[in-house]
Amino acid sequence: MNVTEAAAQLGVSPRRVRALIADGRIRAHRVGVGWEIEGLAPSKERRALSVRSWLMLGRAVRSRALVGLSGHDRMRTAERIRRLRESDRPSRLLADWRPADAPAELYLDSLTARANRADDDYIRAALQRGPEYLRSRVDLAEVVASERAIRGESREELAERASVSARLVKSIESSQPLTSPGEVRRVLRALDIEPTALPDMVLS
């Protein structure tokens, strides 16, 4: 399988496939000036989701959080949002994921209509975070934990990027009292989260 064939299977651009090869996330070896892809399994993400998974994805995209999800459901939903963000054709992925027997749901139906028109810019905008009004430690915890999961980062990896301790990240995600607003803001900046308000206990 060459780069073009792999790109078509994965729903991304050939450039993205070459980047994944360079990162070691796709195994390949050189053949002349091109690449031969090794052992790429059929693309599961292109199959239609179950109705349950589809509705979970819709709620997560609409709320920009993984509220109420745990375990495998949380992990898979986060991974799907990450794939949509990384895809060069998120509209194609979203359209392919919609189950044939999906019930009517206003927000998801609107996204699907845009996806069917290949409106990738609209889908990308829907997947990005806008300003967040974080009224409580619980709000702060869920937004940070959700965005970290969507990005596929561990607490240690996020802490390193934000130049804070992993213990602080754990405290944020556990809704514990916080006393260092500067460090909290560094964590939010590392996740591209723009708060319009923070809990009083963070600002004090």
Side-chain angles (χ1 to χ4, degrees), residues 1-3 5-29 35-41 45 83:
M1 180 184 295
N2 61 30
V3 168
E5 292 167 339
Q9 177 173 299
L10 295 173
V12 299
S13 69
R15 181 179 179 181
R16 178 62 179 161
V17 172
R18 285 189 285 270
L20 292 172
I21 293 172
D23 289 343
R25 294 165 64 183
I26 290 180
R27 293 174 54 196
H29 62 271
W35 290 97
E36 179 69 21
I37 310 298
E38 301 174 9
L40 186 61
E45 66 269 28
R83 288 185 179 278

Side-chain angles (χ1 to χ4, degrees), residues 144 148 154-173 178 180 183-184 186-187:
V144 169
R148 179 177 64 79
S154 67
R155 286 173 177 164
E156 290 74 18
E157 289 169 333
L158 172 57
E160 182 177 356
R161 287 200 306 109
S163 299
V164 300
S165 68
R167 183 176 181 180
L168 175 72
V169 176
K170 182 178 180 180
S171 295
I172 292 173
E173 295 185 358
L178 302 163
S180 179
E183 289 186 323
V184 172
R186 286 209 297 273
V187 171

Side-chain angles (χ1 to χ4, degrees), residues 66 69 73-83 146 149-151:
L66 303 171
L69 298 179
D73 288 340
R74 186 180 181 92
M75 179 185 69
R76 290 296 291 154
T77 301
E79 180 186 352
R80 287 173 181 134
I81 294 174
R82 182 165 66 252
R83 288 185 179 278
S146 293
I150 290 169
R151 291 174 180 235

